[in-house]
Amino acid sequence: MPQLPGDFDTTFLPFQTKMEAAGMPTLLIEAFRRNLVQLVSGASVTLGREQLAELADVPDADTLNGYAATGAEALKHTVLIKLNGGLGTSMGLDKAKSLIRVRDGLRFIDIIARQVLKLRERANSAIPLLLLDSATTQADSVAALAEWAIQRDDLPASLLQHRVPKVVASSLAPAEWPEQPALEWCPPGHGDLYLALETSGLLDELLSRGYRYAFVSNADNLGAVMDTSILGYFAEEKIDFLMEVADRTPADRKGGHLAKLKDGRLTLRELAQCPENEAEEFQNITLYRYFNTNSIWLHLPALRALIDRYAGILPLPLIRNRKNLDPRDPASPIVYQLETAMGAAISLFDRASALRVSRTRFAPVKTTDDLLAVRSDAMMLDEQFRIVPNPARTLPPLHVSLDPKHYHFVGQLDEHFPYGAPSLLNCASLRIDGDVRFGRDVTLRGDVYLAADAGGPRTISDNTVLEG
């Protein structure tokens, strides 16, 4: 237990009072107290190379074809969970990110629904879909999902993520913002999945109905679909927690990586956990080869046992996010948002493992750069309604870099590409600086760099072919 100042109870009392007044469950209040202890005590956990063991090659998903039959049988005992708590604020929206139109007029939520319908057809079973929503995404997302009529009467379509108070950085007091009280609260990260399943009673409900497995992934990762070979491997090898990892590239060098502790358990190591004198080594993608795709497989009975072992609260490492109280007002007070990560539970399960997957299972849309690529002919929806590279493309993955002054928001992207994305099938990379607008049926090939004159916008005429 970290060393606490003698007046910690005084520090915690206003948070406890605030959360009790909002009707928060006792387990959530205790979980928040645990995180606040770590914050106030200044506890910091570093993981240096001397604490890690060599991580051998992890199993590869491409070698699991022999497990498909087991996986097909296990489908009827599996639930699909999509992490859907994020707003599209970073892309200029004030609603659920899953409502962005991604491709062929379809929103993320529409593509997910089609993936589920296709999966049910293959499994001949009404596999449940569960959204893990925040208070700001739940109503719109459930309404959009209802258009597909796939909700089961016996299970909810959505599980509501908890919310916790923001902590004022200067005083370590609960945030107060009377003009917009909702901004005093924040979601506690996707590590809240485990607590939300427990406090809602849904974990026990799923177990009582015979569900034994769950596949969890981000709603904006359209490559993460239920795979029967992976499920079969997970079930047949009696794994309790399986994390899908992918090869780190130079673009991933500052992100967290999979590591192995001296006791043989797997863990995730973030840059903030790395000793300063090892920061350069941390970014060595040959030495630390794999990153977490945030797609995991859970054995629900094992999760039930683990939650019981820890009296309802999994001891996940604290993530301290420093932000403005009002994200749209840089003059608003600095606060800490206390969060945990779902993948960090890998070190808690007795039978945890990782699985190397290809980048086709990791196709997130985080920026308008990603969105333009997904909308283009460089990508396509396959028969499982998964976003994958167009097989007609012979080039490496497309790299798109759009001027954030003109393309940062979805509305700006649509304004500059009113007739849809140009053909990028044979484009190696695209960089745009300045205000460049596109006409119909534009084709880009090779490495393309476009810049607008300082005097005003530049327009690319209909049917233009640009190369180099």
Side-chain angles (χ1 to χ4, degrees), residues 3 11 35 49 56 179 213 224 237 274 298 306 321 430 437:
Q3 187 65 38
T11 299
N35 287 337
R49 72 172 77 88
E179 53 266 45
Y213 313 107
E237 299 300 323
C274 179
L298 290 168
L306 189 70
N321 274 333
L430 170 63
R437 299 166 187 247

Side-chain angles (χ1 to χ4, degrees), residues 31 34-35 38-39 43-45 47 188-189 191-192 194 267-270 273 314-320 337-348:
R34 179 185 178 278
N35 287 337
Q38 295 182 71
L39 176 71
S44 102
V45 178
L47 281 174
D192 184 60
Y194 310 114
T267 189
L268 292 178
R269 187 170 72 147
E270 302 294 338
Q273 297 172 280
L314 300 190
L316 303 175
L318 172 66
I319 300 171
R320 188 192 72 175
Q337 297 185 183
L338 306 188
E339 304 177 9
T340 59
M342 174 180 73
I346 193 171
S347 62
L348 302 178

Side-chain angles (χ1 to χ4, degrees), residues 287-349:
L287 181 62
Y288 302 116
R289 296 171 51 191
Y290 307 110
F291 75 94
N292 171 27
T293 66
N294 218 39
S295 294
I296 66 168
W297 300 78
L298 290 168
H299 182 239
L300 296 179
L303 177 60
R304 172 73 273 160
L306 189 70
I307 290 174
D308 289 343
R309 184 193 307 174
Y310 289 105
I313 303 170
L314 300 190
L316 303 175
L318 172 66
I319 300 171
R320 188 192 72 175
N321 274 333
R322 183 183 173 93
K323 298 190 176 185
N324 289 101
L325 197 159
D326 183 346
R328 293 169 293 276
D329 181 4
S332 63
I334 299 297
V335 297
Y336 295 134
Q337 297 185 183
L338 306 188
E339 304 177 9
T340 59
M342 174 180 73
I346 193 171
S347 62
L348 302 178
F349 284 86

